[in-house]
Amino acid sequence: MDEGTARAARERAGARGMSVNRYIEELVRQDTGEVGHTFVEAAADFMKQYEAVFAEEFGGDREDTSEGRH
């Protein structure tokens, strides 16, 4: 990491009363949690939006064999 970023990390960590390693660890945890939550929401929205397309393509009813699909 460049010196400016390292200096900012030291200052922020010091202001919070924690080590730089702990500060970075917290940032990664926050980022991972937010990204994971955002991904799940986006995936759910995608599935809602394209539910009919998937049902048409892959069959919404597994017992429907009218087109020879099992």
Side-chain angles (χ1 to χ4, degrees):
M1 109 176 43
D2 65 66
E3 184 54 38
T5 303
R7 182 175 37 253
R10 286 191 297 270
E11 290 172 3
R12 301 266 185 181
R16 293 180 179 196
M18 61 177 63
S19 69
V20 173
N21 284 344
R22 177 71 180 176
Y23 175 68
I24 292 171
E25 184 179 291
E26 290 295 319
L27 290 176
V28 170
R29 282 189 181 146
Q30 289 174 7
D31 185 50
T32 302
E34 290 172 12
V35 169
H37 183 71
T38 301
F39 172 78
V40 169
E41 284 182 346
D45 288 343
F46 175 84
M47 289 305 293
K48 286 178 189 173
Q49 185 176 1
Y50 291 99
E51 181 178 14
V53 175
F54 280 97
E56 183 179 321
E57 179 67 24
F58 300 107
D61 184 4
R62 291 282 180 199
E63 295 180 4
D64 181 14
T65 59
S66 61
E67 294 180 4
R69 294 183 186 167
H70 299 278

